[in-house]
């Protein structure tokens, strides 16, 4: 079977944005991290998603998916199991012509507030 490599260009939109990374050698996809902006130069605050609420969480990065390919954003099973938090439009699609900030549309099906901190996967 032939092996090939697809290059996806990555750009951090903020100095403290985290780049996508594989967490294990056998991982099929890279993890995205939440970018929570600093308030007045202080440490990043957390973003609140109330029960049954939804929020578009930025990642602070932009990607250049090559023509003929798509990027996908998929839910994390641990967040769904432990907190009832998942993607509202799963899987989310990153089209090859989109060059803006990658966002993750989360919904909280849990009974309490869910807090997203800077760097959360």
């Amino acid at each position: 079977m032939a092996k090939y490599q697809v290059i996806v260009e990555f750009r951090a939109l903020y100095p403290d944005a985290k780049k996508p990374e594989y967490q294990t050698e056998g991982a099929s996809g890279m993890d995205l991290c939440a970018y929570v902006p600093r308030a007045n130069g202080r440490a990043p605050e957390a973003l609140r998603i109330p029960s049954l609420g939804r929020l578009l969480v930025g990642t602070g990065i932009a990607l250049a998916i090559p023509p003929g390919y798509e990027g996908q954003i998929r839910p994390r099973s641990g967040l769904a199991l432990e907190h009832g938090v998942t993607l509202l439009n799963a899987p989310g699609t990153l089209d090859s012509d989109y060059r803006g900030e990658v966002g993750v549309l989360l919904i909280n099906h849990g009974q309490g507030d869910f807090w997203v901190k800077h760097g959360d996967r």
Side-chain angles (χ1 to χ4, degrees), residues 98-115:
Y98 179 70
R99 295 296 182 264
E101 181 175 3
V102 174
V104 179
L105 184 55
L106 296 178
I107 185 165
N108 179 3
H109 292 293
Q111 295 179 351
D113 291 345
F114 181 77
W115 295 90

Side-chain angles (χ1 to χ4, degrees), residues 8-64:
V8 176
E9 294 179 24
F10 154 83
R11 181 169 52 109
L13 302 175
Y14 309 97
D16 54 343
K18 297 182 182 282
K19 72 177 187 172
E21 292 185 319
Y22 291 103
Q23 296 300 310
T24 64
E25 189 173 311
S28 61
M30 295 178 159
D31 283 349
L32 296 171
C33 294
Y35 181 82
V36 179
R38 296 178 181 272
N40 299 325
R42 296 185 315 226
E45 309 264 334
L47 302 173
R48 177 180 159 264
I49 308 174
S51 177
L52 303 179
R54 61 187 179 267
L55 182 67
L56 181 62
V57 178
T59 61
I61 65 165
L63 300 174

